[in-house]
């Protein structure tokens, strides 16, 4: 783990051929009519049919062997601390195992599990900057962890947030995990963030740990954060009727998480569809949490929404890829020219009753992963987290 430092993207030309199904991550066109991807120096340069592309002089070729390919999955909501260790479960390797579950980018919602977490302005700023800089230099199994999410406290003035922005912090931690939680206070902080250019996210539901707060629909509607974090609870949900109101009236993205109320996640999906807001729905895990860490948490949420929520599986994948990328301004999550070469080779699990990947997911089966590529570098072969996939790629 200590040697898994950031190394940048692959050098040279990568060709991925014989793709059986190409998921784009884009709700507007979730399936691409293509069987080949070319990437140069870790970024996608061409997508299409092999016969129409220049496959010569490749430095590396991956034969998908008919395996479907998805963009690298994004966990919109997690709680890293330092390295690939979580004090919440005293577990090592949880991020690496997440990569085995197809997650290539993780977004911190606050480094709140650090024992003795500072709550004064100087300490909060120091922790956020340290977390951000550490994960810029350390990438477990190649994962890109966007860390440094400071938790707001009541005694912070606007200048604290201005300093955070100047230090390169891009978003704050969940409003509600600190002393700032309820309507007027939350609105003041969210307004400052909007004016300064920091992304604001807000806890929704009952307390997750001692010291956090209950945040109801009225608090969220008054503050209007950029992201309504775990609208299905983290882990305790607000009332289903209130979820529907937020899906109609909250202006920010609507996030559902694995470590929340699964029934409420289905209610949120239904309400978002009725409001024409599927593009605003994001998927996260909210791990590590009391229920542990879930390497397959994002895959499980995709499968839940597709199987029990009756969402077309190719659209469900978009909620954990392109939707998160666009709503949270991330350089990730789409298979499109110019984007990082972050790919998940996955298929129906062996012996699934589904005829293919999408049908298996719609039936409730967790996909099997055959390979994960991040920035053009192969990071895993057959996953240690998922059941074996029906097909698997090979490096030629």
């Amino acid at each position: 783990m200590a040697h898994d430092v950031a190394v940048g993207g692959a050098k040279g030309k990568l060709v991925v051929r014989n793709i059986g199904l190409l998921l784009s991550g884009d709700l507007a066109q979730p399936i691409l009519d293509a069987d080949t991807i070319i990437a140069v120096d870790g970024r996608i340069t061409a997508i299409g049919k092999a016969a129409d592309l220049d496959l010569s002089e490749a430095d590396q070729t991956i034969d998908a062997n008919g395996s479907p390919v998805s963009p690298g999955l994004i966990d919109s909501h997690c709680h890293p601390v330092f390295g690939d260790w979580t004090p919440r479960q005293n577990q090592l390797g949880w991020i690496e195992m997440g990569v085995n579950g197809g997650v290539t980018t993780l977004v911190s919602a606050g480094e709140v599990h650090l024992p003795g977490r500072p709550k004064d302005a100087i300490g909060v700023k120091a922790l956020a900057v340290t977390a951000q800089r550490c994960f810029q230099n350390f990438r477990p199994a190649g994962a890109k962890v966007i860390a440094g999410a400071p938790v707001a406290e009541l005694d912070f003035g606007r200048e604290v947030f201005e300093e955070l922005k100047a230090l390169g912090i891009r978003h704050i931690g969940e409003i509600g995990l600190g002393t700032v939680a309820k309507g007027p206070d939350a609105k003041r902080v969210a307004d400052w963030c909007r004016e300064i250019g920091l992304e604001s996210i807000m806890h929704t539901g009952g307390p997750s740990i001692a010291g956090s707060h209950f945040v109801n629909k009225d608090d969220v509607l008054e503050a209007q954060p950029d992201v309504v974090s775990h609208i299905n609870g983290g882990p305790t949900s607000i009332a289903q009727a209130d979820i529907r109101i937020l899906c109609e009236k909250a202006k920010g993205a609507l996030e559902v998480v694995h470590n929340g109320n699964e029934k409420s996640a289905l209610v949120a999906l239904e309400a978002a569809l009725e409001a024409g807001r599927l593009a605003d729905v994001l998927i996260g895990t909210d791990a590590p949490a009391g229920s542990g860490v879930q390497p397959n948490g994002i895959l499980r949420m995709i499968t839940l929404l597709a199987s029990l929520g009756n969402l077309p599986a190719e659209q469900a994948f978009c909620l954990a890829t392109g939707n998160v990328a666009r709503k949270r301004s991330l350089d990730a999550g789409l298979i499109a020219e110019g984007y990082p070469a972050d790919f998940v080779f996955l298929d129906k699990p062996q012996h699934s009753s589904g005829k293919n990947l999408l049908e298996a997911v719609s039936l409730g089966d967790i996909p099997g992963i055959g390979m994960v590529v991040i920035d053009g570098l192969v990071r895993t072969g057959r996953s240690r987290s998922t059941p074996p996939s029906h097909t698997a790629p090979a490096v030629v």
Side-chain angles (χ1 to χ4, degrees):
M1 182 179 75
H3 301 288
D4 206 350
V5 296
V7 295
K11 301 302 180 185
K13 181 176 180 179
L14 169 67
V15 171
V16 181
R17 69 189 190 200
N18 294 331
I19 298 169
L21 170 73
L22 187 52
L23 301 174
S24 69
D26 184 354
L27 274 176
Q29 188 181 1
I31 297 175
L32 298 177
D33 183 19
D35 60 16
T36 304
I37 304 172
I38 297 175
V40 175
D41 294 340
R43 288 193 171 264
I44 299 170
T45 58
I47 305 161
K49 298 289 188 179
D52 301 325
L53 300 176
D54 178 10
L55 311 186
S56 64
E57 299 183 356
D59 295 284
Q60 186 171 63
T61 298
I62 298 174
D63 188 336
N65 289 321
S67 176
V69 173
S70 161
L73 306 179
I74 304 172
D75 186 345
S76 177
H77 190 123
C78 67
H79 291 288
V81 177
F82 291 131
D84 201 357
W85 165 70
T86 169
R88 187 74 191 271
Q89 301 292 337
N90 196 25
Q91 180 174 331
L92 288 169
W94 69 277
I95 297 174
E96 178 185 348
M97 291 307 294
V99 173
N100 274 266
V103 175
T104 59
T105 300
L106 302 90
V107 186
S108 174
E111 294 75 37
V112 293
H113 297 319
L114 179 68
R117 175 175 65 88
K119 299 182 181 179
D120 63 292
I122 292 175
V124 167
K125 287 185 288 185
L127 173 59
V129 172
T130 300
Q132 182 206 52
R133 304 294 200 270
C134 283
F135 278 110
Q136 285 177 343
N137 297 320
F138 174 65
R139 291 177 53 179
K144 294 174 259 194
V145 182
I146 301 169
V151 176
E153 305 290 349
L154 281 172
D155 59 348
F156 292 0
R158 179 189 170 108
E159 72 281 356
V160 173
F161 300 93
E162 292 174 339
E163 291 168 8
L164 287 164
K165 175 67 174 179
L167 289 166
I169 298 301
R170 69 180 303 279
H171 67 281
I172 63 171
E174 292 176 70
I175 294 172
L177 293 183
T179 49
V180 174
K182 304 304 285 182
D185 297 322
K187 182 181 186 304
R188 180 179 69 254
V189 168
D191 286 348
W192 284 342
C193 288
R194 267 187 287 275
E195 294 163 4
I196 294 166
L198 287 168
E199 182 188 48
S200 61
I201 67 178
M202 190 169 182
H203 179 97
T204 310
S208 55
I209 56 175
S212 62
H213 299 269
F214 171 56
V215 175
N216 62 30
K217 79 170 192 318
D218 295 327
D219 299 320
V220 174
L221 291 176
E222 184 165 358
Q224 291 292 359
D226 295 318
V227 179
V228 181
S229 293
H230 48 60
I231 195 171
N232 63 320
T236 307
S237 174
I238 58 175
Q240 293 178 16
D242 291 345
I243 291 173
R244 293 183 178 279
I245 290 172
L246 288 182
C247 289
E248 294 172 3
K249 298 183 178 180
K251 297 176 182 178
L254 310 170
E255 181 187 81
V256 294
V257 299
H258 181 273
N259 286 338
N261 182 315
E262 293 180 336
K263 185 173 181 65
S264 291
L266 296 173
V267 170
L269 173 63
E270 181 181 63
L273 286 168
E274 290 173 355
R277 298 189 62 185
L278 186 61
D280 291 336
V281 180
L282 318 180
I283 291 177
T285 61
D286 197 11
S291 55
V293 297
Q294 296 81 28
N296 294 342
I298 297 297
L299 286 177
R300 289 180 63 84
M301 285 301 294
I302 290 170
T303 304
L304 172 78
L305 299 178
S307 59
L308 297 182
N310 296 316
L311 184 67
E314 63 272 22
Q315 294 184 11
F317 276 95
C318 297
L319 310 190
T321 52
N323 275 20
V324 186
R326 285 175 167 154
K327 298 304 291 188
R328 307 203 66 178
S329 302
L330 303 179
D331 183 26
L334 291 165
I335 291 184
E337 290 184 19
Y339 275 81
D342 298 345
F343 310 134
V344 181
F345 295 77
L346 73 174
D347 202 350
K348 68 176 185 176
Q350 290 179 7
H351 306 294
S352 169
S353 59
K355 296 184 181 66
N356 52 44
L357 168 68
L358 299 182
E359 184 173 309
V361 169
S362 296
L363 290 173
D365 285 334
I366 303 295
I369 289 177
M371 182 182 288
V372 176
V373 171
I374 303 178
D375 291 330
L377 294 170
V378 177
R379 286 299 188 163
T380 74
R382 281 195 181 269
S383 171
R384 293 153 51 201
S385 299
T386 69
S389 57
H390 178 68
T391 57
V395 176
V396 177

